[in-house]
Amino acid sequence: MRKTVKPYWVIVIDFELLQNLSMKIVIIGGVAAGAKVAAKSRRLLPDAEISIYTQDTHVSYSACGLPYYIQGNFEDWRKLIVRSKEEFEKSNINIHIRHRVVKILPIDKKIIVKNLENDEQFFVNYDKLVIATGSVPRVADFQNKNLKNIFTLKTLEDGIAIRETMQRVNNITLIGGGYINIELLEAFVKNGKNVTLVERAPFILSVFDEDIASLIQNYILENCSGLVKIITDDIVSEFLGEDTVKGVLTAKGSGFETEMVVISAGVRPVVDIAEDAGIALGITGAIKVNSRMETSINDIYACGDCCEKINMISNTPVWIPLGSTANKEGRVAAVNLCGGSEDFEGILGSAVTRYMDLNISLSGLSEKNAQKLGYDTVSVVVTKKDKAGYMPEVENITLKLVADRRSHRILGAQAIGCGDADKKVNSISIGLTQRITVEQLLDVDLTYAPPFSTSVDIIHSAARMLKSKLS
Ligand SMILES: Cc1cc2nc3c(=O)[nH]c(=O)nc-3n(C[C@H](O)[C@H](O)[C@H](O)COP(=O)(O)OP(=O)(O)OC[C@H]3O[C@@H](n4cnc5c(N)ncnc54)[C@H](O)[C@@H]3O)c2cc1C
């Protein structure tokens, strides 16, 4: 007799998928990196429980826009908010502002959170934890540093306070000559303020080589309507005043009156809770991560300013905190913690800023940094028109190109000019990522028409000069 086989369903349970769907993702910090992790994770895992804990009053804002808010380019600081708490909550992402994470307990997969409004502490469990605690300004132990009208610029509140104070004063001191203070210098000069900038190094913007930094410094002094004084090779040692700052003394004995000070003398990564939890730090002092943004402890990721990066040219660890990098790292962390696979290859430290009409940009290694890393460098500095000389809006660009004598590999580019200096650096940074040589750069087919460049682009002029120097 023939047996009848009853049909039946086989149910296969994908436990990993189920786990991912109900995964509890906890993120510490919510500005650039943390906000990116939350948004990307939500797109990848629509049912995961996602929470951001931040001691800040806002999430997802553009600190990079603060100097332009202070300058008065726009009136409402809310324009700096990329995505509000309410918008995150509409995507079912829990936002806990004014909540500081005080401890990570990796064995229990918990964190301890302190509500800064009422000082209450509580535990929160996680399946995956992301540390995006960023960086904070470094403030040396100046005497009287707690006087009123002495600021650092990091948060929205800092920006609001600096703008409000700037409007009431005439004499301002900037400590440090990095990107942020160059942007503030423009803001203050455009508002008609007298500014004294004090820089420890021989030139401002010391990430650039001195030949380029000195050109930037000269441009600033020539384009400030006599409002700017730059003191280099010196440091501020003491602030004077009873309640509000009234003056500044430097280590070399300069003294001058001031009504307001902004200290932007570098930043440091926020690693205290990570270090306390036993997470490995790198040689730069920032959190060590692999290319998947994983820390040394399972299921804990780190991204943004708090973690160390790999320099793509030298393949060595570096700490260059930038918003552009924080966003990319946040995305990679999210993909991996949600079960995918993506790598973050490293950085070139590509950056751009401006003072008035002067665009200032660099990518890769400066010559001095390349030499510190042991490269035998060859470099050229070329100044050329940015478009055909007969075009009405023609401007000069100065480009410095650095190469390795042995391999002929391009190591870095620095460009300044009232023309499109940053576009030149961006083009070269694609080549830097691909590790191209001077000869290969000469083979790149660049565009030309009179309103856009010269028939021989400055990139090719510089590469041609480098090639002849190398041979
Ligand atoms: C004025 C200014 C201009 C800038 N301009 C540029 C620019 O033009 N281009 C560019 O690429 N970059 C720029 N940057 C740098 C850029 O803003 C940062 O690289 C970027 O914000 C880093 O993002 P992040 O999320 O890693 O860290 P952060 O922005 O530092 O955010 C970290 C957050 O974590 C919170 N946090 C820290 N510890 C805890 C804790 N224990 N518990 C809870 N919360 C915690 C902090 O309060 C903070 O809100 C600028 C920065 C400033 C200040």
Side-chain angles (χ1 to χ4, degrees):
M1 207 174 79
R2 253 183 100 198
K3 246 176 143 185
T4 52
V5 180
K6 282 190 192 155
Y8 60 90
W9 296 101
V10 178
I11 299 173
V12 179
I13 300 175
D14 184 337
F15 285 104
E16 202 184 322
L17 181 71
L18 277 182
Q19 231 176 15
N20 279 350
L21 289 177
S22 59
M23 188 193 285
K24 189 162 178 179
I25 300 167
V26 172
I27 303 158
I28 313 172
V31 179
K36 187 66 171 192
V37 174
K40 181 71 187 168
S41 302
R42 170 53 72 235
R43 282 196 290 277
L44 293 172
L45 297 179
D47 297 318
E49 187 182 327
I50 304 174
S51 307
I52 293 181
Y53 290 89
T54 176
Q55 62 192 10
D56 219 328
T57 47
H58 291 88
V59 283
S60 189
Y61 61 84
S62 166
C64 313
L66 285 168
Y68 305 99
Y69 165 71
I70 293 166
Q71 182 169 141
N73 287 176
F74 52 97
E75 291 306 310
D76 188 356
W77 57 266
R78 289 171 196 83
K79 287 194 173 162
L80 293 168
I81 295 176
V82 181
R83 200 167 172 201
S84 66
K85 178 176 184 297
E86 293 71 29
E87 283 168 308
F88 273 106
E89 284 167 351
K90 271 189 208 151
S91 314
N92 202 16
I93 294 169
N94 310 308
I95 304 289
H96 306 270
I97 56 167
R98 303 272 301 136
H99 281 72
R100 177 178 301 148
V101 175
V102 291
K103 205 165 185 59
I104 302 170
L105 305 166
I107 295 172
D108 304 325
K109 294 188 103 174
K110 283 185 197 331
I111 55 171
I112 302 177
V113 181
K114 181 176 182 177
N115 180 340
L116 298 177
E117 296 298 329
N118 56 19
D119 280 352
E120 268 176 24
Q121 294 205 163
F122 54 92
F123 289 96
V124 175
N125 299 320
Y126 66 82
D127 294 313
K128 305 278 178 185
L129 180 69
V130 182
I131 304 174
T133 46
S135 58
V136 284
R138 273 181 202 277
V139 179
D141 212 8
F142 305 107
Q143 223 172 313
N144 294 327
K145 67 178 180 187
N146 294 323
L147 291 174
K148 282 189 196 144
N149 288 4
I150 299 177
F151 301 94
T152 55
L153 179 57
K154 175 71 188 170
T155 63
L156 289 173
E157 286 81 0
D158 296 335
I160 293 165
I162 289 174
R163 177 169 155 156
E164 194 268 322
T165 309
M166 173 201 74
Q167 286 161 347
R168 289 186 282 112
V169 303
N170 283 315
N171 298 306
I172 305 175
T173 301
L174 290 173
I175 300 181
Y179 296 120
I180 293 176
N181 270 357
I182 298 308
E183 291 167 8
L184 283 179
L185 195 60
E186 177 188 295
F188 295 153
V189 169
K190 281 204 172 161
N191 280 274
K193 310 296 171 185
N194 294 304
V195 189
T196 305
L197 186 150
V198 185
E199 163 60 50
R200 174 195 296 264
F203 290 99
I204 57 161
L205 283 175
S206 56
V207 289
F208 287 77
D209 287 321
E210 285 193 0
D211 44 5
I212 300 296
S214 62
L215 296 175
I216 302 169
Q217 194 160 310
N218 290 343
Y219 177 91
I220 291 173
L221 293 171
E222 285 160 14
N223 292 274
C224 66
S225 313
L227 293 171
V228 175
K229 185 174 174 199
I230 297 179
I231 299 174
T232 54
D233 271 322
D234 202 355
I235 52 169
V236 168
S237 55
E238 187 176 341
F239 299 117
L240 306 173
E242 299 270 293
D243 173 56
T244 305
V245 67
K246 293 270 185 298
V248 169
L249 292 182
T250 72
K252 286 192 176 166
S254 294
F256 47 92
E257 290 182 357
T258 196
E259 296 161 280
M260 173 180 172
V261 175
V262 184
I263 306 169
S264 304
V267 289
R268 64 171 175 80
V270 177
V271 297
D272 47 350
I273 48 169
E275 193 175 15
D276 175 64
I279 292 170
L281 304 185
I283 57 162
T284 62
I287 300 170
K288 196 173 167 59
V289 284
N290 61 18
S291 60
R292 290 171 51 83
M293 308 312 298
E294 290 164 335
T295 68
S296 61
I297 295 188
N298 261 352
D299 293 327
I300 303 185
Y301 294 72
C303 48
D305 282 7
C306 63
C307 69
E308 190 167 271
K309 296 112 195 10
I310 294 295
N311 184 303
M312 287 169 108
I313 305 286
S314 58
N315 231 357
T316 51
V318 282
W319 189 65
I320 304 177
L322 286 168
S324 46
T325 308
N327 268 290
K328 286 196 250 169
E329 290 178 337
R331 183 182 189 285
V332 172
V335 168
N336 290 319
L337 71 88
C338 290
S341 183
E342 210 164 281
D343 291 302
F344 182 70
E345 299 297 346
I347 61 158
L348 294 168
S350 306
V352 61
T353 188
R354 75 162 200 220
Y355 172 81
M356 305 294 176
D357 292 332
L358 190 77
N359 297 326
I360 302 164
S361 183
L362 95 176
S363 184
L365 299 177
S366 63
E367 187 160 28
K368 63 183 170 190
N369 270 350
Q371 286 171 355
K372 270 189 215 151
L373 288 162
Y375 290 99
D376 181 5
T377 60
V378 184
S379 69
V380 290
V381 178
V382 181
T383 298
K384 209 175 163 178
K385 305 268 178 253
D386 67 334
K387 36 187 88 69
Y390 47 79
M391 293 305 291
E393 65 279 27
V394 63
E395 296 286 357
N396 275 343
I397 297 183
T398 297
L399 172 67
K400 177 165 184 174
L401 209 51
V402 183
D404 174 33
R405 190 185 303 276
R406 201 176 45 80
S407 63
H408 292 199
R409 186 177 161 197
I410 305 281
L411 299 175
Q414 300 159 62
I416 59 167
C418 297
D420 288 334
D422 57 312
K423 280 194 192 149
K424 304 300 171 193
V425 167
N426 269 340
S427 309
I428 296 167
S429 69
I430 297 169
L432 288 171
T433 310
Q434 295 304 314
R435 300 163 178 265
I436 67 169
T437 60
V438 175
E439 291 75 10
Q440 286 167 328
L441 184 58
L442 277 167
D443 288 340
V444 175
D445 190 9
L446 298 168
T447 57
Y448 163 64
F452 301 97
S453 64
T454 45
S455 57
V456 178
D457 192 281
I458 190 170
I459 294 177
H460 279 162
S461 306
R464 177 78 52 209
M465 282 172 69
L466 258 185
K467 191 180 170 201
S468 59
K469 264 192 159 183
L470 284 164
S471 57

